[in-house]
Amino acid sequence: MGEVTSLLKYWAQKMDVNLTVIRTNGWGTFNAKLGLDNCDAVITVLESIDQTLMSEIERRGIPSFQIACQAYNQFGAESILSNNQKGCTEAFDHLYQLGHRNIGFVADFKINDMVDRFNTYRQRLEYYDLPFDESNVIKVSDPSLDGGQEAGAAIARKKDGPTAYVVAADLLVVGILQVIKSHGIRCPEDIAMVGFEATAAAWNHSPKITAVDQKMFDVVRVTFERIIKRLNGEPFESEPILIDQKLYIGESCGADPSRRMSDEDYIRNKSNEVNELVFEDYSVNQNESLMAFAKGDFKFIMGVSYLYGPFFDYGIRARWPKDTEKDELKIFSEFTSVLLPDDEFVSMAESRFPPNSTRRLSEIEHRAVTIFPITVEGDHWEIEALYQDLSKPINFNSQAMFHSFLDAICVQVEREALVTVNTENLNQTREISHQLSELNSTLESKVRKRTQELEKSNIELTQAIDRMEQMHEHLLQSEKMTLLGQMVAGVAHEINTPVGVALTAASSITDVTLNLKSNLENEELTKSGLEKYLSYVEEASDILVNNLYKATSLIKTFKEVSVDQSSEQKRNFNLDKYIRDVISTLSPKTKNYRIQFKLNIDESLNLNSYPGAYSQIITNFIMNSLIHGFDKDKSYIISIDVQLNGDFLEINYKDDGKGIDDSIIDQIFDPFFTTKRSEGGSGLGLNIVSSLVIQRLGGTIKAFHSDMGVYFKIIIPKTQLA
């Protein structure tokens, strides 16, 4: 976005127009009507604003233009697009001409541009009669270095994978190269890469990244030309205007050195259209000093502007007052490289911000204004407006650094805002607590008189505590874990019962054995006495084994809470037989209920996985049904359906018991959540199941509400079964 906004300023300077740039910091959620009263045209870059705001722009009759998206066609916005189809075609064909026939694709599929490139990738496979392999497509969660590192890890795991990749962004390529290098995979010798955007960071990387330039210079130029034409009376252009992209051949694709673009040609291609811009270099020490942004306050950051820029000539800070609707702003501070003396608050309509003039602003006639709202706890908090004099030369490198400068300001203002919110909440809590203390100290004499005040204070205290709990939500997990120690006593108590029964059974076996021995020594042993002894020992042994099994299960269940579950061994086993064995071992529990098991499991389904995990899952499901879903005086059905569907193993567990209430279904996998706490429930059963499915088996689990009982669905990737 730094390149686009720099070019917007350049063309605003060239065409002698004033420009206001709003950093919305979100996808399609920004809806403030900032500046609409003073603007003649609107440009959106990507899906950056809410559709209700676009509807307001259309209602006002303001011509609108969209760059790199077509999300606002219904509001009469003209589209100026970089031709992704041509760029991706050049990238794919280049790799094909270099001899690659197994070509993969990497992208964040939440971004429309990357989806367009993927569609062209599919078309080129068809054009060259190459097969499409879904496993060669790597979907990342973010189009940045983090996403690239995700993709790099996936590439490093693949065996006999693609020999080349079309990667939908340069930063993704950089992240990929960081990871695969650590695995001994070389680029381009082992895997070739072609990216998109042709940024300087990618070109200066080693190896230099071959990439498609989106020609944003021409995209922005055409956008401004269309604005001027529309303002001069030309009609709306309904068809998208496409700007052809261009491939810059570096080193990452493995092309012959004679075909590679030189550094001089790269700089010439990136800057020849904007030769009036000033390019300067920055020393390492200056770039390192940018880290000081994180430590400085607002005044310090304003001063640092002059180390890299200056980035702006004048600035305004304003806020949305808490006690009014969000259609009014109050300006409370003005600054240049230093804060100027504060004036009294000046109010103005949101749609008229930023102002065209103030007491200190009249001298900047040809200007670009960058606006960036600050959001705290989901609410608009503050807004900054930085004015730049376009009558002065624009330093391209300085503008690139400008966006790091803006990020630093956002972080600092958000930090100040959070401190303010925390302080206000803390003071409010202390005040309410103090009031409660005074009430309690004289409660006997004032209880009747001040009951209503106490109730009001309690409500306010609860609200204050709720707000503080929301702000510190990340502490909840550690607080929950402290409960684990409290569970030890409960588990020890639960173990005492089966161990005590087992000890009693063992003692009784000893007693009858001694009696048998005495009869044998006195020659008083009879056949009926021996048969009675054997029958008694068999029954007592069953009791002993069953209760020791119960004790073992309790201990194993508690151990499953621990983070390290690596002691479980992976081996080959038949899932149908194994599940039946698990059900059989639970017969001491299930025999007290009238239960019919219906199993639909492929008898030939052999897995190389963790049998202990499957045993624990089925055991906990059945025990959950017994404890929470069944009564002993009714008949029930438990059905377990297991099938291998394509690339996934699907396990469906159902019973026709009492089911799960809608109000708690989202909490049942939380640790220590139980509706049977008073009856000894630990709240760990389904949490252990969830942990085993997700962490041990790499799958997913979901519970469904049903009036006819409980329904759990588990899906495990086939790749986890071999």
Side-chain angles (χ1 to χ4, degrees):
M1 294 301 293
E3 179 186 11
V4 174
T5 52
S6 297
L7 291 171
L8 286 169
K9 290 181 181 179
Y10 169 75
W11 282 110
Q13 184 182 58
K14 289 282 289 183
M15 296 190 177
D16 195 25
V17 298
N18 289 328
L19 173 71
T20 299
V21 178
I22 303 176
R23 279 174 42 123
T24 62
N25 295 322
W27 295 94
T29 58
F30 183 79
N31 59 8
K33 302 173 185 178
L34 296 172
L36 290 188
D37 287 355
N38 300 323
C39 76
D40 298 312
V42 171
I43 303 172
T44 65
V45 182
L46 300 174
E47 297 178 37
S48 52
I49 65 175
D50 185 81
Q51 293 200 352
T52 58
L53 180 55
M54 279 302 299
S55 177
E56 174 65 14
I57 291 169
E58 182 184 34
R59 187 190 69 78
R60 290 173 176 244
I62 301 172
S64 59
F65 303 82
Q66 50 189 337
I67 292 177
C69 81
Q70 292 183 276
Y72 308 114
N73 292 350
Q74 60 181 306
F75 302 107
E78 293 191 16
S79 299
I80 298 88
L81 308 174
S82 183
N83 192 342
N84 279 303
Q85 183 174 13
K86 187 175 188 303
C88 191
T89 297
E90 284 194 27
F92 190 99
D93 291 356
H94 177 65
L95 291 173
Y96 185 88
Q97 291 162 10
L98 292 175
H100 296 286
R101 297 297 180 267
N102 189 4
I103 302 174
F105 189 84
V106 180
D108 178 353
F109 282 77
K110 300 188 298 294
I111 298 176
N112 290 334
D113 270 3
M114 296 190 182
V115 174
D116 290 342
R117 292 162 194 166
F118 173 71
N119 292 334
T120 302
Y121 161 80
R122 291 287 302 269
Q123 293 168 7
R124 299 317 288 172
L125 287 174
E126 294 178 7
Y127 178 82
Y128 287 112
D129 197 25
L130 298 175
F132 171 70
D133 186 347
E134 184 71 35
S135 68
N136 288 345
V137 178
I138 301 176
K139 300 178 180 180
V140 298
S141 60
D142 187 88
S144 66
L145 288 175
D146 289 343
Q149 291 167 357
E150 289 177 28
I155 292 171
R157 289 193 299 266
K158 291 178 70 68
K159 296 180 179 179
D160 301 322
T163 60
Y165 281 90
V166 175
V167 184
D170 286 350
L171 279 180
L172 291 176
V173 180
V174 174
I176 291 171
L177 296 182
Q178 288 176 347
V179 174
I180 66 173
K181 182 179 180 181
S182 67
H183 289 270
I185 301 173
R186 301 167 301 168
C187 175
E189 292 84 355
D190 300 319
I191 297 179
M193 300 274 175
V194 175
F196 275 81
E197 293 172 8
T199 61
W203 186 258
N204 291 326
H205 190 272
S206 180
K208 294 182 184 298
I209 295 171
T210 298
V212 176
D213 185 0
Q214 299 181 91
K215 306 303 287 184
M216 294 309 298
F217 176 87
D218 292 325
V219 171
V220 176
R221 172 182 56 80
V222 171
T223 302
F224 269 88
E225 290 174 351
R226 284 298 306 156
I227 290 174
I228 298 301
K229 290 178 180 178
R230 286 286 301 278
L231 294 178
N232 287 330
E234 280 204 11
F236 167 73
E237 177 58 63
S238 60
E239 292 298 320
I241 300 173
L242 298 178
I243 306 299
D244 286 344
Q245 299 179 351
K246 182 176 180 179
L247 181 67
Y248 290 0
I249 299 176
E251 299 167 346
S252 65
C253 62
D256 186 88
S258 63
R259 298 185 60 191
R260 297 174 188 165
M261 178 179 285
S262 67
D263 289 346
E264 292 77 11
D265 287 340
Y266 172 81
I267 294 173
R268 187 179 305 110
N269 273 276
K270 293 295 285 185
S271 64
N272 61 358
E273 304 102 329
V274 289
N275 51 27
E276 294 181 28
L277 290 181
V278 178
F279 287 82
E280 292 181 355
D281 193 14
Y282 287 95
S283 70
V284 174
N285 289 335
Q286 283 179 311
N287 283 323
E288 287 178 351
S289 68
L290 186 62
M291 298 299 292
F293 278 169
K295 299 183 291 184
D297 58 12
F298 188 85
K299 294 181 181 179
F300 173 80
I301 295 172
M302 290 300 103
V304 170
S305 164
Y306 273 72
L307 176 62
Y308 297 98
F311 297 134
F312 65 94
D313 298 282
Y314 171 80
I316 292 176
R317 298 180 75 179
R319 282 186 184 150
W320 280 274
K322 295 181 179 180
D323 56 349
T324 62
E325 295 295 329
K326 196 196 67 177
D327 59 2
E328 182 184 81
L329 288 167
K330 289 190 176 181
I331 299 173
F332 69 91
S333 179
E334 299 177 82
F335 52 89
T336 55
S337 61
V338 296
L339 291 179
L340 301 173
D342 289 345
D343 294 326
E344 294 182 359
F345 279 92
V346 178
S347 299
M348 67 184 313
E350 178 186 82
S351 59
R352 299 189 63 79
F353 186 88
N356 290 328
S357 63
T358 68
R359 184 168 56 84
R360 297 183 176 95
L361 182 60
S362 58
E363 63 218 44
I364 306 177
E365 295 182 357
H366 186 195
R367 60 185 173 270
V369 186
T370 301
I371 300 176
F372 48 103
I374 309 295
T375 302
V376 175
E377 294 184 333
D379 295 324
H380 289 300
W381 178 267
E382 186 172 310
I383 186 166
E384 321 293 320
L386 302 182
Y387 292 73
Q388 183 178 4
D389 190 345
L390 292 183
S391 65
K392 303 174 183 177
I394 296 178
N395 183 306
F396 195 78
N397 284 342
S398 173
Q399 289 305 306
M401 292 293 292
F402 179 52
H403 295 279
S404 295
F405 173 76
L406 295 181
D407 290 335
I409 295 178
C410 290
V411 169
Q412 178 57 39
V413 175
E414 287 173 359
R415 183 165 59 187
E416 291 176 356
L418 286 171
V419 169
T420 301
V421 171
N422 278 329
T423 302
E424 290 175 353
N425 288 341
L426 182 59
N427 290 338
Q428 184 180 7
T429 302
R430 287 174 175 171
E431 177 63 25
I432 295 171
S433 297
H434 178 69
Q435 292 174 10
L436 284 176
S437 296
E438 290 183 348
L439 284 172
N440 288 332
S441 66
T442 57
L443 186 60
E444 290 185 3
S445 61
K446 297 182 178 179
V447 63
R448 295 180 180 178
K449 178 181 178 182
R450 303 190 63 180
T451 296
Q452 292 182 344
E453 295 179 14
L454 179 60
E455 290 175 348
K456 179 181 178 181
S457 296
N458 279 327
I459 292 172
E460 293 174 348
L461 178 60
T462 300
Q463 292 173 344
I465 292 172
D466 287 342
R467 287 195 295 272
M468 295 196 70
E469 287 177 347
Q470 292 172 5
M471 295 178 64
H472 300 286
E473 189 174 352
H474 65 279
L475 294 176
L476 289 179
Q477 187 61 34
S478 59
E479 291 174 3
K480 288 181 181 180
M481 293 305 295
T482 60
L483 297 176
L484 186 58
Q486 300 174 18
M487 293 301 303
V488 174
V491 170
H493 176 75
E494 292 294 329
I495 292 174
N496 281 341
T497 299
V499 170
V501 173
L503 182 60
T504 301
S507 298
S508 67
I509 291 173
T510 301
D511 292 342
V512 298
T513 301
L514 291 174
N515 186 49
L516 177 71
K517 181 180 179 182
S518 174
N519 289 338
L520 180 62
E521 291 174 348
N522 296 328
E523 297 183 352
E524 297 176 356
L525 180 64
T526 63
K527 179 180 179 182
S528 62
L530 179 60
E531 290 175 345
K532 183 178 180 181
Y533 167 80
L534 292 174
S535 175
Y536 184 84
V537 169
E538 181 180 7
E539 182 179 356
S541 297
D542 285 342
I543 294 172
L544 177 63
V545 170
N546 288 337
N547 280 276
L548 289 177
Y549 172 78
K550 294 175 184 177
T552 302
S553 297
L554 283 169
I555 294 171
K556 183 178 178 63
T557 298
F558 187 72
K559 286 174 64 178
E560 288 291 348
V561 179
S562 65
V563 175
D564 184 9
Q565 299 177 353
S566 60
S567 60
E568 292 288 348
Q569 297 296 314
K570 189 175 185 179
R571 63 177 176 84
N572 291 309
F573 62 97
N574 181 274
L575 187 59
D576 177 56
K577 180 179 181 303
Y578 192 75
I579 290 179
R580 293 178 190 276
D581 289 344
V582 171
I583 294 173
S584 177
T585 62
L586 293 174
S587 60
K589 289 287 186 182
T590 58
K591 69 181 182 182
N592 297 320
Y593 296 81
R594 290 185 286 175
I595 302 173
Q596 178 185 357
F597 286 93
K598 289 187 177 181
L599 306 183
N600 181 25
I601 307 172
D602 186 351
E603 295 179 358
S604 65
L605 186 56
N606 295 310
L607 307 181
N608 181 25
S609 188
Y610 302 95
Y614 291 88
S615 171
Q616 188 72 58
I617 290 168
I618 297 301
T619 298
N620 285 18
F621 277 162
I622 293 174
M623 294 304 298
N624 190 71
S625 294
L626 298 184
I627 295 170
H628 298 282
F630 294 171
D631 296 322
K632 292 185 178 180
D633 58 347
K634 295 182 180 180
S635 297
Y636 298 98
I637 296 174
I638 292 177
S639 63
I640 302 175
D641 181 274
V642 183
Q643 299 297 330
L644 193 61
N645 296 326
D647 293 332
F648 298 94
L649 179 72
E650 185 174 305
I651 302 174
N652 293 285
Y653 177 92
K654 299 179 181 179
D655 70 33
D656 57 353
K658 300 175 183 177
I660 303 173
D661 191 88
D662 274 341
S663 64
I664 65 170
I665 198 165
D666 292 332
Q667 305 172 59
I668 60 173
F669 295 120
D670 290 348
F672 311 110
F673 176 80
T674 178
T675 58
K676 298 282 187 177
R677 180 74 67 190
S678 62
E679 300 175 27
S682 69
L684 296 174
L686 290 179
N687 175 253
I688 291 171
V689 170
S690 175
S691 298
L692 288 171
V693 171
I694 296 171
Q695 298 175 14
R696 181 69 56 76
L697 303 180
T700 60
I701 182 171
K702 186 172 184 180
F704 298 90
H705 172 73
S706 171
D707 294 333
M708 300 299 295
V710 74
Y711 174 21
F712 294 100
K713 178 186 287 288
I714 296 173
I715 296 178
I716 301 170
K718 189 175 181 181
T719 54
Q720 302 290 329
L721 308 177

